[in-house]
Amino acid sequence: MAQPLVKKDDDRDDEEYSPFLGIEKGAVLQEARVFNDPQLDPRRCSQVITKLLYLLNQGETFTKIEATEVFFAVTKLFQSRDIGLRRMVYLMIKELSPSADEVIIVTSSLMKDMTSKTDMYRANAIRVLCRITDGTLLTQIERYLKQAIVDKNPVVASAALVSGIHLLQTTPEIVKRWSNEVQEAVQSRAALVQFHALALLHQIRQNDRLAVSKLVTSLTRGTVRSPLAQCLLIRYTTQVIREAATTQTGDRPFYDFLESCLRHKAEMVIFEAARAITELNGVTNRELTPAITVLQLFLSSSKPVLRFAAVRTLNKVAMTHPMAVTNCNIDMESLISDQNRSIATLAITTLLKTGNESSVDRLMKQITNFMSDIADEFKIVVVEAIRSLCLKFPLKYRSLMNFLSNILREEGGFEYKKAIVDSIVILIRDIPDAKENGLLHLCEFIEDCEFTYLSTQILHFLGTEGPKTSDPSKYIRYIYNRVHLENATVRAAAVSTLAKFGAMVDALKPRVFVLLRRCLYDGDDEVRDRATLYLNTVGSDGEVIETDKDVKDFLFGSLDIPLANIETSLKNYEPAEQPFDINSVPKEVKTQPLAEKKAPGKKPAGLGAPPSGPPSTVDAYEKLLSSIPEFSDFGKLFKSAAPVELTEAETEYAVNVVKHIFDRHVVFQYNCTNTIPEQLLENVTVIVDASEAEEFAEVASKPLRSLPYDSPGQTFVAFEKPEGVPAVGKFSNMLRFIVKEVDPTTGDVEDDGVEDEYQLEDLEVVAADYVMKVGVSNFRNAWESIGPDFERVDEYGLGPRESLAEAVSAVISLLGMQPCEGTEVVANNSRSHTCLLSGVFIGNVKVLVRLQFGIDGPKEVAMKLAVRSEDDNVSDMIHEIVASG
């Protein structure tokens, strides 16, 4: 039975119920018999159709028989002349979506209505026919649809255009033939017709950038009268601007059109133009000024929707151009007391981004008054704005931190509380003076925290930062309380945190050991195991002596091995006399599936690793190479690069290459696939010319005896290079083999073969091949632990770039290192960015990189590069890679 809709009237105590309350499908289907009456009652028939439509829209399903009976009964209503009932019949046929056999029954009636003198019949008949017909019938009525598009009646024309938009998804070849009629409809005086015609015309041409550009050029000269169509045109114009390169003078194409739309009489057009200007890539203050001015006028509008739209747009602009929005601060301050809480929230967060240091305290008082009245999603926006403000004005950390701690104790969902905790953690890390104050706020929060994830996150953070404070002992009480009062997950985290305090603060070790011994009797095995581990490894029976550095690194050091790799290695480990060795776990970050990367349309070009299963890439390659006698004495494999295609898609032979890097050698593994059924290739080798790679000398090769059709195989070539040196060079490749003809029907191979060659693409060994992607869990801690002894800092000009994101991506690719903490993502319209990278250089040398980018001039990107590693030569080498790249 369908669920009733209950509506509560705020002004009255009694309830008003939906007219559909209690209706059942069976009863309505019985009522549908009125469609068969000789004397039709239009009013009653309309009521029954309304009930049927209600059931369908509530998700009620009709069986095939029921739907067919209702459909045929409804078709009998075409004999009625009642216009209202006819409209209900059209709706019912559309909703029932009849099968192809049933469509034939109503096609003649609908085609008759499509040529009727009653415009209402014509418009609705077009909509229904286009909804229920297939391509075959569509060709029969195409002539009528073309005429309808240019019909004088706007209702009919709009119906045909909207139908065209729907049909474009299923039969695009037919709709594309209507371009001339649609082009004519774009010039219509009827607002809705022009809007629908422009939408359809753009969809027809959307895959042709030149055609879209021409469309925009012709329409921006003032032929569009409809405000809705004008809004569409602004969006299409913005798309063209985004795709077009700037001219030599730096002026944007069509910018004058967008600016002229700011003076349009329709508010929707003004707002659309203002928003489009603010979202342009690399928008300048001069371009922003007119848009900000009209948005400022909207802030004082009497219409809530305009105030909301304006303040939300200004809020986004404030993230990238805060100074451009400062002129609106007085208007936004008046919105803090707006009845609409969404508007008030956006106003206050925008002011937080654009305000100065002196206004912080006043704004904080105003925020406190309405925080309890807004939803969690808006509270998160406020929290993020306060975090940004605190980083902008570090001296105000005390009042802002107190505000965050106060709202942390109030009611709220997980995402809201997580945003506050993350903000406090970031402030503690970036503002040293805020550390002790912030840690105490977090300690108070976990006393009454209902979220296990947040409790464990805070306990872990306490274990990292607490021992470094002036009085670490004051946090012990809060941590040990968790052992008694929380669930097993939090108790285990608390034990680890206690152990960190014992290991890092020697004076606290005896007291911490007493507490850890009590945890040996916990009801959960994880808690007991952790307590046992820490008591045995930190050792010394709790005496006040310094904990061994290796123990600290083992227990609490940052894990530089991906967890996925550890999991895979443990699954593959077979119990034996030899214990599991964590040093055998590959450190390379797995960035792609194990299967070889191949060009679209190609067969898999070679094995290179087991075809299925989770073993890591390095494990599989190492096993493969060690099984080849020529390479068995090359030592431990450092890194295997991603496959590089050496042939185009759909060629006779598919070849890609994997570069295997050893300390003194580089092995090229050529994965080959023969895609010609009539050929068998034998004695397949790759002749490598290393004349442009002077530091490399060929030492071994392993040919492939036979390469049948569609059966991947590998051939190898090994080069020697200076030990531990990131030698680079370019290699030319020629595939050489003997071709033998094969009878496809019998599979017989001819005895005689012909020697042949096939030119492959060139291959380069670059500096990034000697850096392995290895992530760190906490970049700041890892940076500090390496220390500044071998730090190298320099600045570079990267020249003109399309965007900051493109520059960041180029440098990451050049260095071949692992981005940390999501810093590879650059915010839209950002003019500065910091990216953190980590990796291991050949020779097993840890290296960390901090990149700071900034836009200097129109498109010029400047970069500051800071490198820390365990070897000064490696730090210098990273700078050389960037300088020469």
Side-chain angles (χ1 to χ4, degrees):
M1 191 176 90
Q3 295 295 316
L5 292 174
V6 181
K7 180 183 174 185
K8 175 78 174 175
D9 192 330
D10 294 331
D11 299 325
R12 295 165 55 189
D13 292 332
D14 57 320
E15 294 180 346
E16 294 179 4
Y17 291 94
S18 162
F20 305 108
L21 179 64
I23 66 170
E24 293 183 352
K25 183 176 76 170
V28 177
L29 290 175
Q30 289 290 330
E31 287 184 62
R33 292 179 178 177
V34 299
F35 301 160
N36 300 316
D37 289 352
Q39 297 295 322
L40 288 173
D41 182 350
R43 181 179 173 81
R44 187 152 178 233
C45 289
S46 293
Q47 287 175 345
V48 175
I49 291 178
T50 304
K51 290 179 182 178
L52 287 167
L53 289 170
Y54 172 76
L55 289 171
L56 286 168
N57 280 285
Q58 288 296 308
E60 192 75 59
T61 53
F62 286 23
T63 65
K64 178 71 175 169
I65 296 172
E66 289 170 347
T68 303
E69 287 178 354
V70 170
F71 173 73
F72 281 114
V74 167
T75 57
K76 294 179 181 178
L77 300 180
F78 273 105
Q79 59 189 306
S80 172
R81 297 291 178 188
D82 186 88
I83 293 178
L85 178 58
R86 182 66 61 89
R87 293 177 71 185
M88 297 301 289
V89 169
Y90 293 135
L91 277 174
M92 195 65 207
I93 293 171
K94 276 176 66 179
E95 288 298 323
L96 282 172
S97 300
S99 63
D101 296 335
E102 295 165 348
V103 166
I104 298 168
I105 307 300
V106 291
T107 301
S108 57
S109 299
L110 289 170
M111 288 179 73
K112 183 180 175 183
D113 282 356
M114 203 166 70
T115 55
S116 167
K117 292 181 181 179
T118 309
D119 291 333
M120 186 61 71
Y121 287 0
R122 290 168 61 205
N124 284 307
I126 288 169
R127 288 176 184 271
V128 177
L129 264 175
C130 293
R131 172 74 175 268
I132 66 174
T133 55
D134 56 11
T136 311
L137 182 60
L138 202 57
T139 53
Q140 298 176 29
I141 62 170
E142 186 180 1
R143 179 168 61 90
Y144 298 108
L145 291 172
K146 282 185 176 183
Q147 289 173 355
I149 288 172
V150 292
D151 197 276
K152 291 179 182 178
N153 188 297
V155 176
V156 176
S158 270
L161 290 164
V162 171
S163 298
I165 292 171
H166 292 306
L167 289 170
L168 199 62
Q169 311 302 319
T170 53
T171 52
E173 65 286 346
I174 294 177
V175 180
K176 285 177 181 178
R177 297 201 291 258
W178 306 350
S179 288
N180 292 336
E181 286 77 13
V182 178
Q183 185 83 52
E184 189 178 334
V186 170
Q187 309 303 323
S188 170
R189 290 183 172 275
L192 215 54
V193 173
Q194 194 173 49
F195 170 61
H196 290 141
L198 179 56
L200 179 55
L201 192 59
H202 178 265
Q203 284 198 28
I204 291 171
R205 299 182 179 180
Q206 63 183 349
N207 295 322
D208 185 346
R209 284 175 57 179
L210 184 60
V212 172
S213 183
K214 285 181 178 177
L215 173 66
V216 168
T217 304
S218 63
L219 294 177
T220 50
R221 293 173 184 155
T223 55
V224 177
R225 299 179 188 85
S226 161
L228 284 168
Q230 190 82 350
C231 288
L232 270 187
L233 182 57
I234 289 169
R235 293 184 183 183
Y236 301 153
T237 304
T238 310
Q239 180 188 336
V240 171
I241 292 174
R242 231 180 254 123
E243 292 171 353
T246 54
T247 59
Q248 292 181 349
T249 58
D251 293 334
R252 294 180 191 274
F254 304 114
Y255 174 78
D256 290 340
F257 165 72
L258 292 180
E259 194 175 12
S260 68
C261 290
L262 296 174
R263 297 182 288 276
H264 199 276
K265 59 185 177 182
E267 290 166 336
M268 72 168 82
V269 175
I270 297 171
F271 173 70
E272 192 69 40
R275 190 178 66 172
I277 290 171
T278 61
E279 291 177 354
L280 292 174
N281 288 330
V283 65
T284 64
N285 284 334
R286 183 184 66 80
E287 292 169 330
L288 268 179
T289 303
I292 300 291
T293 303
V294 297
L295 290 172
Q296 186 175 4
L297 292 173
F298 282 174
L299 291 176
S300 54
S301 169
S302 58
K303 299 176 182 176
V305 68
L306 279 180
R307 298 200 302 274
F308 177 78
V311 76
R312 187 172 66 166
T313 306
L314 289 170
N315 187 278
K316 289 179 181 176
V317 176
M319 294 178 187
T320 51
H321 297 80
M323 296 308 295
V325 185
T326 50
N327 292 337
C328 308
N329 282 5
I330 296 172
D331 298 277
M332 276 189 285
E333 284 194 25
S334 64
L335 294 180
I336 294 174
S337 56
D338 196 282
Q339 290 180 342
N340 187 310
R341 295 287 84 186
S342 302
I343 294 173
T345 306
L346 287 167
I348 200 95
T349 52
T350 309
L351 285 168
L352 288 172
K353 292 169 188 170
T354 60
N356 52 38
E357 197 162 0
S358 59
S359 64
V360 170
D361 293 329
R362 178 168 49 82
L363 288 171
M364 296 310 296
K365 286 179 184 175
Q366 290 173 305
I367 292 175
T368 309
N369 295 333
F370 73 88
M371 277 297 280
S372 57
D373 298 334
I374 58 176
D376 276 8
E377 59 182 310
F378 287 113
K379 289 179 181 176
I380 292 171
V381 174
V382 174
V383 169
E384 289 171 351
I386 289 171
R387 179 175 70 205
S388 303
L389 188 71
C390 196
L391 295 174
K392 186 178 176 183
F393 303 120
L395 294 176
K396 290 290 182 182
Y397 79 86
R398 201 175 298 278
S399 62
L400 295 171
M401 188 78 85
N402 286 338
F403 174 80
L404 289 174
S405 68
N406 288 335
I407 60 174
L408 192 56
R409 288 192 288 269
E410 294 173 2
E411 291 296 319
F414 170 75
E415 292 297 334
Y416 172 46
K417 293 297 179 76
K418 184 177 182 296
I420 301 170
V421 170
D422 289 346
S423 298
I424 294 176
V425 167
I426 288 169
L427 297 182
I428 290 171
R429 283 179 179 165
D430 291 1
I431 305 173
D433 292 342
K435 179 180 285 188
E436 301 213 5
N437 197 6
L439 288 176
L440 281 174
H441 288 315
L442 292 177
C443 285
E444 289 169 7
F445 171 61
I446 59 173
E447 288 286 297
D448 190 28
C449 177
E450 58 185 304
F451 303 109
T452 299
Y453 174 86
L454 293 181
S455 294
T456 52
Q457 182 192 16
I458 291 168
L459 285 167
H460 172 75
F461 186 66
L462 265 175
T464 305
E465 299 294 337
K468 301 173 188 174
T469 58
S470 58
D471 182 14
S473 62
K474 63 185 174 187
Y475 305 110
I476 299 294
R477 174 173 63 87
Y478 297 102
I479 299 167
Y480 189 61
N481 281 350
R482 310 281 59 78
V483 176
H484 288 294
L485 304 172
E486 297 287 356
N487 58 46
T489 305
V490 179
R491 295 203 305 275
V495 167
S496 296
T497 304
L498 279 174
K500 284 183 185 179
F501 274 79
M504 310 298 281
V505 186
D506 299 322
L508 291 177
K509 190 179 289 187
R511 285 185 278 173
V512 168
F513 263 53
V514 171
L515 301 178
L516 286 176
R517 286 194 187 98
R518 292 177 185 172
C519 299
L520 293 173
Y521 304 102
D522 193 274
D524 184 76
D525 56 352
E526 172 75 13
V527 179
R528 295 195 303 272
D529 289 349
R530 288 197 188 194
T532 305
L533 170 69
Y534 295 134
L535 283 168
N536 289 323
T537 49
V538 176
S540 308
D541 293 325
E543 296 173 13
V544 184
I545 61 172
E546 186 175 352
T547 306
D548 187 79
K549 184 179 184 299
D550 290 339
V551 173
K552 288 182 185 177
D553 290 342
F554 170 66
L555 292 178
F556 313 119
S558 60
L559 186 67
D560 57 359
I561 302 171
L563 290 175
N565 293 7
I566 292 181
E567 183 184 4
T568 301
S569 298
L570 285 170
K571 284 179 179 176
N572 295 338
Y573 172 69
E574 296 178 3
E577 292 182 6
Q578 291 292 329
F580 177 78
D581 182 10
I582 198 166
N583 293 320
S584 67
V585 180
K587 296 181 179 180
E588 185 178 15
V589 176
K590 195 173 170 188
T591 56
Q592 61 180 12
L594 195 58
E596 294 296 349
K597 219 174 172 184
K598 58 183 187 296
K602 286 188 184 176
K603 298 285 183 184
L607 190 64
S612 62
S616 76
T617 314
V618 174
D619 274 346
Y621 284 140
E622 194 156 26
K623 191 179 291 184
L624 178 70
L625 293 169
S626 61
S627 66
I628 301 170
E630 291 91 334
F631 312 141
S632 58
D633 60 346
F634 283 3
K636 186 170 175 61
L637 176 63
F638 172 70
K639 175 187 175 180
S640 296
V644 177
E645 296 295 337
L646 298 182
T647 54
E648 297 292 332
E650 308 300 337
T651 52
E652 302 99 308
Y653 312 110
V655 181
N656 67 34
V657 63
V658 178
K659 294 174 276 187
H660 301 294
I661 310 296
F662 294 85
D663 200 35
R664 295 182 56 220
H665 298 86
V666 174
V667 177
F668 297 144
Q669 172 188 328
Y670 295 92
N671 302 306
C672 311
T673 302
N674 171 17
T675 62
I676 304 175
E678 297 82 12
Q679 288 186 358
L680 170 70
L681 307 186
E682 291 187 348
N683 196 25
V684 180
T685 58
V686 176
I687 307 302
V688 183
D689 178 5
S691 57
E692 293 184 61
E694 296 175 357
E695 293 182 271
F696 294 84
E698 186 172 335
V699 292
S701 64
K702 186 177 186 302
L704 178 61
R705 280 186 190 171
S706 175
L707 187 63
Y709 165 67
D710 202 22
S711 179
Q714 300 92 32
T715 177
F716 299 84
V717 180
F719 285 84
E720 191 173 26
K721 68 174 187 65
E723 185 173 356
V725 174
V728 297
K730 190 175 185 179
F731 301 81
S732 301
N733 304 283
M734 177 75 75
L735 188 68
R736 186 173 290 172
F737 47 84
I738 294 171
V739 185
K740 292 186 176 181
E741 296 295 325
V742 178
D743 187 333
T745 55
T746 63
D748 295 336
V749 182
E750 291 187 3
D751 294 333
D752 297 328
V754 180
E755 192 169 297
D756 200 357
E757 292 180 344
Y758 188 82
Q759 185 65 49
L760 304 175
E761 298 284 342
D762 291 347
L763 166 69
E764 283 190 272
V765 173
V766 295
D769 291 326
Y770 298 97
V771 183
M772 188 162 56
K773 291 183 177 182
V774 177
V776 292
S777 55
N778 187 321
F779 187 89
R780 186 186 180 91
N781 285 356
W783 182 265
E784 289 175 357
S785 66
I786 288 181
D789 295 345
F790 301 129
E791 183 175 355
R792 299 289 184 270
V793 182
D794 207 346
E795 295 182 357
Y796 300 89
L798 302 183
R801 298 279 174 171
E802 279 301 309
S803 66
L804 205 57
E806 190 248 329
V808 172
S809 177
V811 176
I812 292 174
S813 300
L814 178 67
L815 294 176
M817 297 175 73
Q818 176 68 22
C820 300
E821 300 174 11
T823 53
E824 72 275 20
V825 180
V826 183
N828 287 337
N829 294 327
S830 179
R831 298 188 67 81
S832 62
H833 183 71
T834 299
C835 184
L836 310 174
L837 306 176
S838 70
V840 172
F841 202 77
I842 190 166
N844 212 29
V845 181
K846 286 183 183 178
V847 58
L848 299 175
V849 168
R850 179 178 278 156
L851 303 165
Q852 292 174 295
F853 297 86
I855 295 179
D856 180 21
K859 291 278 184 179
E860 297 286 330
V861 177
M863 180 183 77
K864 183 179 180 181
L865 169 65
V867 183
R868 284 189 182 183
S869 75
E870 298 166 334
D871 185 332
D872 57 343
N873 292 325
V874 171
S875 297
D876 292 334
M877 224 165 281
I878 296 293
H879 277 279
E880 285 175 21
I881 292 171
V882 173
S884 60

